[in-house]
Amino acid sequence: YQRRVHGGSGWWAPLLLSILIAGSTTWMVIFVISDKTVQKYVLIVLASFSIVFMWVTGCVDPGILPRGEELDSIFDDDIVEVYNGVKIIRKFCSTCQIIRPFRVSHCRQCNNCVLRYDHHCGAVGTCIGLRNHRYYLAFIYSISILCIYFGTICSIQLVGYVGNSKRDLYYYVNLLFIIFALAGNLISLFFSVGLCILHTFFLLHNITTHEDLKGSFEVKNSPFSLGSYWNNFYSVVLGRLPPSYIRLSKS
């Protein structure tokens, strides 16, 4: 397996998203709310958090497992084990040449087996797994708060611009920006808040997106649940992370 500065193959997606967030925030701060000091700094802080958490998510090893030896001739069948009263199939990965531990799946985009694989995020450009899941949650929460705040400012400014009697080129350029920004923000808000609700539900029940899509077991009866919402939350967001298996090399 290989490791780059950015963890996934789609580094261009977070780059474009960073430019979009930074660009729209800069325009808003310089041309739209330049006279509102508090709003400017709050917007800059929220945008910065969103961009930082996005890149941290992409650059942190999600939990990639090292490749094994050639075992095709030894393991022809999957292994069925019982975990907390639930039968779980541990599959053999012919690409990585390993018997997958519990909750490990192979990401086709990244071509690696990942610990507690959740999903491959196109926006971040990498897998979401055991070691970067908490940063992904911080990213979607921060981007949702940014969208709410950005949309609120745009709405307030739009009302003020409509009632403004001074209408020059500067007025119409900013008005168009606010309208397009508000429309794009509403779309972003729909997806980001939806992701927050969905992942919060999965988080509290200690289930991954991949497990839910596969229908491995009922969400509320996850064999990996630690008994309470707090325990499940703590294990993902605040629990101790295992060391990375990735070792940098000169090749």
Side-chain angles (χ1 to χ4, degrees):
Y1 55 100
Q2 296 179 347
R3 185 66 171 170
R4 294 170 291 277
V5 174
H6 182 270
S9 55
W11 57 268
W12 54 268
L15 178 60
L16 290 178
L17 189 55
S18 298
I19 294 173
L20 178 62
I21 295 173
S24 57
T25 300
T26 302
W27 184 282
M28 182 70 75
V29 167
I30 295 177
F31 298 106
V32 181
I33 56 173
S34 58
D35 58 334
K36 297 174 175 59
T37 305
V38 176
Q39 292 182 6
K40 283 195 301 184
Y41 286 114
V42 172
L43 188 61
I44 291 173
V45 169
L46 291 176
S48 299
F49 272 119
S50 299
I51 294 174
V52 168
F53 281 126
M54 176 176 59
W55 281 99
V56 170
T57 303
C59 293
V60 169
D61 168 30
I64 296 174
L65 290 177
R67 301 293 172 91
E69 304 295 335
E70 296 294 332
L71 301 175
D72 281 331
S73 60
I74 303 176
F75 296 101
D76 295 326
D77 300 321
D78 298 328
I79 298 176
V80 179
E81 294 187 10
V82 177
Y83 187 90
N84 287 342
V86 178
K87 290 184 178 180
I88 300 176
I89 299 176
R90 294 180 57 196
K91 293 185 176 182
F92 171 71
C93 179
S94 58
T95 301
C96 298
Q97 294 293 306
I98 60 172
I99 298 293
R100 298 175 190 164
F102 290 130
R103 315 193 83 177
V104 170
S105 291
H106 189 88
C107 177
R108 295 182 179 179
Q109 288 87 346
C110 296
N111 198 31
N112 284 303
C113 279
V114 179
L115 290 168
R116 203 175 69 198
Y117 175 78
D118 191 87
H119 70 288
H120 183 91
C121 180
V124 178
T126 190
C127 296
I128 307 302
L130 175 62
R131 300 190 74 257
N132 67 346
H133 197 167
R134 61 188 60 181
Y135 307 116
Y136 172 76
L137 293 173
F139 164 61
I140 60 175
Y141 291 144
S142 61
I143 199 74
S144 296
I145 296 173
L146 173 63
C147 287
I148 293 172
Y149 190 76
F150 191 92
T152 301
I153 293 178
C154 284
S155 300
I156 295 174
Q157 293 298 315
L158 182 61
V159 172
Y161 266 64
V162 171
N164 192 347
S165 58
K166 183 181 179 181
R167 303 191 175 186
D168 51 11
L169 179 61
Y170 180 82
Y171 166 86
Y172 286 109
V173 170
N174 275 341
L175 181 62
L176 286 175
F177 169 79
I178 292 173
I179 293 174
F180 282 111
L182 186 58
N185 184 77
L186 289 175
I187 297 174
S188 301
L189 183 63
F190 174 79
F191 285 105
S192 60
V193 172
L195 283 174
C196 284
I197 295 173
L198 180 66
H199 281 278
T200 299
F201 179 76
F202 288 160
L203 171 67
L204 296 178
H205 292 88
N206 205 338
I207 187 173
T208 65
T209 303
H210 183 70
E211 290 166 346
D212 179 65
L213 291 176
K214 285 177 57 182
S216 304
F217 35 77
E218 294 183 9
V219 175
K220 295 184 179 180
N221 296 319
S222 170
F224 303 106
S225 176
L226 300 177
S228 69
Y229 290 157
W230 167 250
N231 288 340
N232 291 333
F233 171 86
Y234 186 91
S235 66
V236 176
V237 178
L238 301 173
R240 184 176 180 180
L241 295 176
S244 174
Y245 288 101
I246 292 177
R247 298 293 179 268
L248 298 177
S249 63
K250 296 181 180 180
S251 59

